[in-house]
């Protein structure tokens, strides 16, 4: 039996649920005592909207895992929504939850945040015993963009080790990423945790803007390191934070601007708050010197409105139309590239004559991004359908 399960069975966790404020979640004896979750906005739009609040995070450091760079942070337990197809299911923090743990994986040379479809596994240990273990959800939040996270329970004040395992990448990689991220690895993060230190995490409400069609700026709130001893002062803590963030800054996932995409770009169109940016890439065949055929790839970069975060783990297709007739159609596969970032691309190139003669490119979102979302994103990016571009 894990240490946490033993304590729970023995009734020794020391947590109890208080009487909650109307519409709020408040857990007596937990860090949530200070950071009460406000009620959700009434009549939330089916779009990106300003959330009721945002939270800072505690920085646990960064480590190198194979070709990956990995950063780990935590914050207050938080509500989020899991996505299955076009349905969402809300997950609220429970009385057992102490922190919301977050992992970000990126390429150290370009700073591009990387999706690992099979997820990131974590095991939390105290004195060598397992307290928690699970696979973190792929997630989107307005102040972090794409990351992995979940609410976890600890075992009171003390020192912990978070053992993080990142698998090899499964999706297609091109350009300088070709051949990278084949293998993953495991790395340990050690930190001291006290419930009292959670009171130093910044927490901000937006009573005047909540529910508006807008988004908070990424990393609007400062990051603080964990307090290793209760005697560490707030000023000492924030000075350490500034030094740690300066030295080990964790990048935020952002798609390149449309004018920076390689190939022949076709502008942008919106499907709800999904911004679709297609571009036609060139590719040479393995032909002899006298007969070089130039082929094309259709690449589509979908990103969020406002913050231009990439939207991974969706299902997209493309169709070329010439004089009202479909001359090419194909599903697109997920791909990561240092110039385009996370995008969707034809698995095989198309001959250039077919592309050049076409008049319309239609991009279809078959399945919305299958990633969990924090507040302000849970009603957005759920639309499916067609968007057309003139070639």
């Amino acid at each position: 039996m894990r240490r946490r399960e033993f304590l729970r069975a023995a009734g020794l966790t020391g947590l109890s649920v208080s009487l909650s404020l109307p519409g709020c979640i408040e857990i007596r004896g937990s860090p949530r005592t200070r950071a009460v979750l406000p009620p959700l906005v009434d009549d939330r739009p089916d779009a990106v909207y300003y959330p009721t609040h945002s939270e800072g995070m505690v920085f646990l450091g960064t480590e190198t895992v194979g070709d990956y760079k990995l950063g780990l942070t935590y914050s207050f337990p938080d509500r989020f929504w899991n996505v299955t197809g076009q349905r969402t299911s809300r997950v609220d923090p429970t009385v057992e939850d102490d922190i919301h743990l977050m992992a970000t994986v990126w390429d150290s040379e370009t700073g591009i945040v990387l999706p690992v479809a099979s997820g990131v596994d974590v095991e939390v240990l105290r004195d060598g015993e397992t307290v928690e273990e699970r696979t973190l959800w792929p997630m989107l939040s307005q102040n972090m963009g794409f990351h992995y996270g979940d609410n976890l329970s600890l075992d009171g004040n003390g020192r912990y080790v978070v053992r993080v395992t990142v698998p090899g990448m499964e999706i297609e990689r091109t350009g300088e990423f070709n051949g990278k991220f084949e293998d993953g690895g495991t790395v340990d993060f050690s930190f001291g945790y006290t419930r009292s230190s959670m009171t130093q995490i910044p927490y901000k409400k937006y009573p005047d803007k909540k529910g508006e069609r807008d988004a908070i700026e990424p990393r609007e709130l400062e990051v603080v390191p964990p307090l290793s001893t209760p005697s560490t002062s707030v000023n000492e803590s924030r000075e350490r934070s500034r030094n740690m963030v300066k030295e080990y800054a964790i990048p935020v996932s952002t798609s390149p601007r449309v004018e920076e995409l390689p190939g022949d770009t076709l502008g942008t169109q919106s499907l709800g708050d999904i911004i679709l940016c297609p571009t036609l890439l060139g590719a040479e065949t393995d032909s002899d010197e006298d007969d070089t055929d130039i082929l094309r790839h259709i690449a589509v970069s979908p990103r969020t409105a406002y913050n231009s975060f990439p939207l991974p783990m969706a299902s997209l297709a493309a169709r070329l139309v010439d004089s009202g007739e479909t001359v090419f159609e194909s599903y697109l596969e997920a791909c990561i590239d240092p110039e385009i970032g996370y995008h969707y691309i034809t698995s095989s190139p198309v001959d250039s004559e077919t592309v050049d003669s076409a008049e319309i490119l239609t991009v279809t979102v078959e399945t919305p991004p299958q990633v969990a979302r924090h507040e302000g994103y849970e009603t957005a990016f759920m639309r499916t359908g067609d968007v057309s571009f003139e070639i």
Side-chain angles (χ1 to χ4, degrees):
M1 178 179 287
R2 296 174 193 155
R3 183 189 182 97
R4 183 74 186 182
E5 291 172 341
F6 171 79
L7 293 173
R8 186 180 305 157
L12 298 177
T13 56
L15 301 176
S16 61
V17 180
S18 73
L19 292 176
S20 298
L21 299 174
C24 297
I25 296 174
E26 183 181 10
I27 303 171
R28 178 178 299 157
S30 83
R32 273 286 171 207
T33 302
R34 175 176 177 271
V36 174
L37 273 174
L40 287 172
V41 175
D42 293 333
D43 300 323
R44 291 168 290 159
D46 294 330
V48 176
Y49 71 91
Y50 227 83
T52 56
H53 70 288
S54 62
E55 302 164 343
M57 59 194 77
V58 177
F59 185 75
L60 298 184
T62 64
E63 294 287 350
T64 299
V65 183
D67 293 327
Y68 298 118
K69 199 74 175 180
L70 171 68
L72 203 65
T73 59
Y74 70 81
S75 187
F76 299 103
D78 205 1
R79 60 188 166 213
F80 59 88
W81 287 257
N82 286 325
V83 177
T84 304
Q86 290 184 266
R87 295 186 300 174
T88 59
S89 55
R90 177 173 152 184
V91 178
D92 285 321
T94 71
V95 68
E96 300 285 349
D97 296 325
D98 292 298
I99 61 172
H100 184 81
L101 188 70
M102 296 161 281
T104 303
V105 181
W106 71 93
D107 172 59
S108 59
E109 295 183 10
T110 63
I112 292 178
V113 175
L114 302 169
V116 185
S118 53
V120 171
D121 295 326
V122 297
E123 180 182 10
V124 182
L125 303 106
R126 182 177 183 181
D127 299 330
E129 294 184 53
T130 299
V131 176
E132 274 274 27
E133 59 182 336
R134 63 185 63 189
T135 300
L136 301 181
W137 298 100
M139 289 190 167
L140 279 175
S141 71
Q142 292 185 8
N143 62 351
M144 285 193 72
F146 180 79
H147 63 281
Y148 297 87
D150 203 351
N151 297 328
L152 301 180
S153 59
L154 301 178
D155 191 21
N157 299 342
R159 293 207 63 83
Y160 291 89
V161 170
V162 182
R163 184 160 295 160
V164 186
T165 299
V166 185
M169 186 173 288
E170 298 167 333
I171 67 171
E172 185 73 16
R173 286 140 282 158
T174 53
E176 296 297 322
F177 285 170
N178 189 18
K180 293 186 71 174
F181 318 120
E182 295 282 349
D183 301 315
T186 300
V187 66
D188 288 353
F189 293 79
S190 178
F191 70 101
Y193 168 84
T194 62
R195 285 181 176 144
S196 61
S197 69
M198 297 289 282
T199 61
Q200 296 187 28
I201 299 176
Y203 183 87
K204 188 174 182 180
K205 295 181 180 178
Y206 305 105
D208 298 327
K209 294 199 68 174
K210 63 182 181 182
E212 290 184 9
R213 293 198 56 173
D214 198 351
I216 62 173
E217 292 290 328
R219 296 284 171 75
E220 185 172 285
L221 294 174
E222 62 182 308
V223 179
V224 299
L227 294 177
S228 56
T229 64
S231 61
T232 306
S233 70
V234 173
N235 288 337
E236 288 174 326
S237 170
R238 290 182 174 168
E239 179 60 28
R240 288 173 56 202
S241 170
R242 282 190 284 273
N243 293 334
M244 292 171 75
V245 172
K246 183 177 179 181
E247 185 176 0
Y248 302 114
I250 296 175
V252 175
S253 57
T254 305
S255 296
R257 294 186 297 179
V258 175
E259 57 269 27
E260 295 174 345
L261 291 172
D264 298 323
T265 57
L266 302 181
T268 64
Q269 298 277 0
S270 300
L271 182 67
D273 276 349
I274 300 176
I275 310 300
L276 294 161
C277 309
T279 185
L280 304 175
L281 306 173
E284 292 188 0
T285 61
D286 294 329
S287 59
D288 57 44
E289 295 180 356
D290 297 327
D291 186 23
T292 299
D293 294 325
I294 304 299
L295 303 179
R296 312 297 296 268
H297 271 293
I298 301 168
V300 180
S301 169
R303 71 275 304 271
T304 67
Y306 305 108
N307 286 334
S308 289
F309 295 148
L311 290 169
M313 304 175 192
S315 177
L316 272 64
R319 184 170 74 252
L320 292 171
V321 177
D322 180 12
S323 302
E325 300 291 332
T326 297
V327 294
F328 172 83
E329 59 184 334
S330 174
Y331 288 107
L332 304 179
E333 62 180 51
C335 184
I336 189 84
D337 178 276
E339 289 190 82
I340 314 176
Y342 191 98
H343 63 286
Y344 300 81
I345 192 169
T346 43
S347 57
S348 299
V350 190
D351 69 82
S352 57
E353 184 176 347
T354 300
V355 175
D356 294 341
S357 64
E359 300 166 339
I360 300 293
L361 167 66
T362 297
V363 177
T364 303
V365 176
E366 304 270 2
T367 307
Q370 301 296 289
V371 293
R373 296 96 181 275
H374 283 278
E375 187 180 322
Y377 276 166
E378 78 280 8
T379 55
F381 324 127
M382 297 301 291
R383 287 186 57 180
T384 59
D386 295 344
V387 174
S388 294
F389 299 81
E390 291 186 4
I391 299 177

